[in-house]
Each structure stands twice: as structure tokens, then as C-alpha cells.
Amino acid sequence: MRMMFLNPPERAPRSALSLVLLSSLWLAVVGNIALWQTLWALPDLTGWRGVAFGGAFALIIASALTALLSLLAWRWTLKPAISFLLLCAGFATHYMLSYGIVVDTPMLINVLQTDSREARDQLSVGLGLTVAWVAGLPLWWLWRQTWAPVRWGQQLLRNAGLCVAALLVMLGATQLVFQDFASLMRNHTQLRYQINPLNSVYAILDLTVIPSEQRSGPMQALGEDARIAAHTAKSADTAHPPLLVLVLGETARSKNFSLNGYERLTNPLLAKENVVSFRQVTSCGTSTAESVPCMFSHLGREGFAKRKNESENLLDVLQRAGYAVLWMDNQSGCKDQCDRVPNVNTSSLNIAGECEDGECRDTVMLKRIDAELAKLPAEKRARGTVVVMHQMGSHGPAYYKRTPVEFKKFQPECKENSLSQCDRQQVVNAYDNTIVFTDYFLSRLIGWLKTQETSSSPAMLYVSDHGESLGENNLYLHGLPYGMAPDVQKHVAMISWLSPGFERWSGVSTACLKNQRDRALSHDHLFHSVLGAMAVQTSVYQAERDLFVACQGR
């Protein structure tokens, strides 16, 4: 008895077939809790019909995973492959259950571009528990199993046979429920992005090996004929050079701006300024990684999605025309948009009163702007300057971290990283407080711009990259595929402020712009509107996409 306890009998070795089948079944059933929850809530399938469809759907997923793993069912690859799929399923399950998101290529890009600070905001007890249940338990079991040695040729035949059998079962199960399956995939497109972990596998392949989505060739030059309009040079004796600050907002949905009719006073300071808030603006995408490169492109949303080559952007054209250009970033980076212009990141500074716990308030950029402008070439600044300020803004899910205590106007606020654990009103309170702080930041920026009027003709244009879901229909955050994303993830805030000097220099009238505030606009207008406002002449400029052109009294 004692010897048996000290030396327990060795575990019987398992075949690759058993490891593949058991792992596939676990992933199909347990790893797709979010999918089954969505499916159960749909009115299309009810009663026993719904149960039967769910069983067939699980069999389809398990068969697809079996076919995939059969290709990797070798002694040194099978366990790592299963482990990877389990971890993908565990993390995706948490985010799909907690925030209602789906996993697609843009979402994977967001994950890959997440820095350590953003990743820290995502950590929660719920995340640990979900990953432990979906991935931890089977991983513990998997790595305790021993492998039954099989000759190479025999293993190849077994793998091939398993792959063929799995594909036949998948096709058969699909045929049994084809009518319901095709209808659901067509009418509820979110389901295809909830199939765990095949959604992650597809997103990875889409980024790496699917040829139709790859950009080829060198970076394309843009606006090589760009120059500052001659009429501006003639007015140099009577007007100071322009200074445009383009504020790139983060996660600011139009609906929560009191300037746009929101019942809460979230913009008390901007309401006192002579600003124009454009109320019907839609974004290029539903995430920063999607929207930022698109909004700085000349192509527009549809053209950008179909592009075959990467090309230079708005900042390159402005710099080529002769302006001084500066990018200030208080977030995780410029998404390659500032690679060829002077740039500075303020997010990791350590300035008392502006920075704490490894994060800086957006107002830190105002502390640095004078010093950074002084570094730009004097001959270019004499022609004019464009500064981009990339905000931390309303970056979630830890909205409460974005605001100092004195700006927490709406209480109580959610202080959980897992937003679904809070009462929805607490989530809205925390988010609205970030808009109040953005109002303060923009008003401070306008105040600074007013101090520059003795030497320049200043202006500000603020536009957010995308919107946000705050619990509507149990959805949180952003990043849903554009075609199925709710309006709050695409309807963004955009605000302009023009000094009297800039109005004279550019010919754009603020009074006229106020009559344009309900015009349907989008990120497609940004590239051409900035060029128009800054009097840049180039063949890539399109007047029909210039929101300022109707209000220029030239």
C-alpha cells in the first residue's frame, strides 16, 4: 500500500486521436458559451428545434476543429496547438460575455497594438475566472497526458483519415440544418464572429497569409504637387501665419455631448466659446486601428478598405506643401501616421499634477506644446503650423481612470474594469465624466490658442476616432464589424473653433459653419477639409469633401 502511494501507476498513454477529439468537443461546447447565449436569445429558433440546431451547430464546430487539429497532430505540435486554441477561446469568451464584442481582424489588430497600460486596464477577477474555467482546467489535464508513440508513416495515415472523417461529419451535420444555418448566418452576422476559437484562427490568417487582403508594393507618394495657395502669400503682410491644432479624440460618441442636445451638461465650458459642433458625423471604423489611418487618408472609407497599396497621408501632404507639422501623442501611438513628421509621446512623462500611476492627463500636452513647437524649423513655422494632439480621452473600459477627482461630476461611477459587473447608469456616469474632462481640455486648448493670436492665426478642429457602446443591448466598448455595429459606435463628435485671425486668413466664416452643423459628414471629409482650410493646392484635393468650402468667402 505504501509503495503504491509513493509510486503511483503510470498513466496509460493516449493516442493523438483521443486528444484531438476530446479537445475539440470541449472547445465546441464550453469554449462557445457566448455563442450559445446569443443563439438562445434569438427568436428564430425555439423549443426542441432550437435545441436540435444547437446540437448540430456544436457538432459542426467540433468537426471543423478536429479537421484543423488533425493537421497538427504530431508529437511536438499537438499539445502546443491545443493550448493555443484553448487560451484564445478563454480570453475571447470573457470579452464576448462581458462586453458583447466579437472577434474579427480589426479586433485582433487592436489586441496586437495594445500597450502595457491598456492591457492593465483590462485585467479583472472575471477575466481570470473565465480563462481558468475555459482554458485552465483542460490545459492542466492536457499536459498530464502521455503520448502513445506511433511511427511517422502510420501517424500520417491516421491524421489524414481523421481529417477526411471530420470534414465528412461537418458537411453532413451542415446539410441536416442547412436551411436554418444559412438563414442565421445571413440575418445574424455576429454569429460567425462568435465561433470560438475559429474566429481567432481566421483573424490571424487574414492578417498573415490570405493574399486578397495583403498590401503590396512600396509606399506611394501623395500630393507631390502640394503648395500653399498664392493668395495666402499675398496676404502675408496683413495676416499672421495659420496655426491649426487638430485634436484627435478617443472614443467620444456624439450622443453624450450636451452641445449636440444631450440632456446632461457635459460641455459647460465649450458652450461659452464660439464653437461649432457638427452633429451628424460618422467614423471610418469602430476602432482606433481602423479609423485613424483611414481618416488621415485621401481615399475615404470605401476606397481605403479596397486599397492595394499603402500611401502617404494628410500630414505628409501638409509638410510637403511647406508647413511645420507636429504630432503629440498621449496614447499608445499614431498608428504609423506620424512616422515621417516630428512627433513626441507624452503618455509616459512624469509631471506632478499631470501624471500618476503611469498615465498622464491630456492636459500634459499643453505643458509641452510651446517647447515642442520651438523645435520645429523656423522657416516652416513662418508659413504656418499644424499640430495633431492625440488624446487619451474616453478610452475604456477604465473610464474612471481618465478623470481627476474634481471632474467626477456624475456619481456614482463604475470603478470596475469589467463593465458588465456595474449598474449601467454607473457606467454612463463614468463615461460622461470623461466627456466633462475633454470639455475642460478643449477649453484650455482654446485659451492657449488665444494667447497665440499676436503671432499667428489660430484654429482648432476636434474629431473623435470612433464611438462607444455603454450597455445598450448588452454591448460595451467598441470594435464590432462596421456593418453590424450600432450607431453609437460610429456617430462621433466633431467641433471647430476659429479665431478672427484664422477666419480672415482662410476666408472661412464661423457664422456660416453654424448653418452647416446638421449636415451629414464623415471622416471622409477630414483630409480634404484640412487641406482646404490651410489653403493647400494639390491634385489630390477634392472640394466636394471639404466641409469648409461652402463657407469660404474668397
Side-chain angles (χ1 to χ4, degrees), residues 99 121-122 395-400 402 416-419 468 477:
Y99 303 119
D121 286 349
Q122 302 287 339
H395 196 290
Y399 306 123
Y400 68 96
R402 311 285 96 90
E416 298 288 339
N417 291 345
S418 183
L419 299 178
E468 188 85 327
L477 302 182

Side-chain angles (χ1 to χ4, degrees), residues 250-254 283 285-286 431 464-469 477-479 487-492:
E250 171 63 37
T251 321
R253 66 188 214 171
S254 176
S283 64
T286 61
Y431 180 85
S464 179
D465 57 354
H466 55 78
E468 188 85 327
S469 286
L477 302 182
H478 52 267
D487 182 65
V488 290
Q489 292 191 23
K490 298 181 286 189
H491 190 188
V492 297

Side-chain angles (χ1 to χ4, degrees), residues 246 446 471 482:
L246 174 58
I446 291 172
Y482 199 87

Side-chain angles (χ1 to χ4, degrees), residues 228-229 231-233 235-236 238-243 323 383-384 457 499-508 531-536 552 554:
I228 302 170
H231 81 275
T232 305
S235 66
T238 58
H240 297 303
L243 168 60
Y323 286 122
R383 301 186 193 104
S457 301
S499 69
F502 190 87
E503 287 187 330
R504 290 191 299 271
W505 182 90
S506 66
V508 178
L531 291 186
M534 296 298 290
V536 174
Q552 286 180 318
R554 294 174 178 167

Side-chain angles (χ1 to χ4, degrees), residues 4-203:
M4 289 180 64
F5 178 77
L6 292 175
N7 299 287
E10 292 186 4
R11 295 179 180 276
R14 288 190 177 273
S15 65
L17 174 64
S18 65
L19 291 177
V20 168
L21 291 178
L22 289 171
S23 299
S24 297
L25 285 171
W26 177 273
L27 285 166
V29 177
V30 179
N32 279 281
I33 297 173
L35 173 64
W36 308 136
Q37 185 182 76
T38 301
L39 198 64
W40 185 258
L42 296 178
D44 306 61
L45 298 170
T46 57
W48 287 108
R49 181 185 178 190
V51 173
F53 177 82
F57 201 174
L59 184 59
I60 292 170
I61 297 171
S63 300
L65 288 167
T66 298
L68 173 64
L69 287 173
S70 68
L71 304 176
L72 301 167
W74 302 94
R75 183 177 184 85
W76 304 111
T77 58
L78 183 57
K79 285 185 177 181
I82 294 174
S83 300
F84 175 75
L85 294 180
L86 285 168
L87 289 170
C88 285
F91 282 97
T93 294
H94 168 74
Y95 289 107
M96 287 192 286
L97 288 175
S98 297
Y99 303 119
I101 67 167
V102 296
V103 178
D104 62 350
T105 305
M107 186 61 68
L108 179 61
I109 293 173
N110 287 334
V111 171
L112 295 175
Q113 293 183 353
T114 297
D115 60 20
S116 59
R117 179 181 53 186
E118 292 173 329
R120 184 182 60 195
D121 286 349
Q122 302 287 339
L123 298 178
S124 67
V125 174
L127 173 62
L129 291 175
T130 304
V131 174
W133 163 244
V134 175
L137 289 176
L139 281 173
W140 175 81
W141 174 85
L142 174 68
W143 287 95
R144 284 166 57 87
Q145 308 308 307
T146 56
W147 183 277
V150 178
R151 287 184 299 177
W152 184 90
Q154 187 178 4
Q155 188 65 55
L156 178 62
L157 290 175
R158 289 184 180 183
N159 292 355
L162 180 59
C163 183
V164 171
L167 291 174
L168 290 174
V169 171
M170 182 177 68
L171 291 174
T174 303
Q175 189 64 34
L176 287 174
V177 294
F178 181 77
Q179 185 175 352
D180 288 334
F181 185 82
S183 176
L184 283 171
M185 291 297 108
R186 182 174 59 253
N187 297 327
H188 304 283
T189 54
Q190 76 272 23
L191 292 175
R192 68 187 69 176
Y193 301 109
Q194 287 186 295
I195 302 175
N196 244 345
L198 295 174
N199 46 10
S200 299
V201 172
Y202 177 80

Side-chain angles (χ1 to χ4, degrees), residues 360-421:
C360 293
R361 312 291 185 202
D362 288 326
T363 46
V364 73
M365 291 186 283
L366 297 175
K367 296 280 188 180
R368 289 293 299 270
I369 187 168
D370 289 305
E372 297 302 328
L373 286 176
K375 298 176 184 177
L376 300 178
E379 65 276 13
K380 289 192 172 185
R381 283 190 285 123
R383 301 186 193 104
T385 305
V386 177
V387 180
V388 179
M389 289 185 165
H390 188 193
Q391 277 187 285
M392 175 57 77
S394 302
H395 196 290
Y399 306 123
Y400 68 96
K401 290 185 177 181
R402 311 285 96 90
T403 54
V405 174
E406 60 270 27
F407 290 91
K408 295 185 182 298
K409 179 177 180 179
F410 304 106
Q411 293 289 342
E413 66 174 4
C414 178
K415 294 187 177 181
E416 298 288 339
N417 291 345
S418 183
L419 299 178
S420 59
Q421 302 303 308

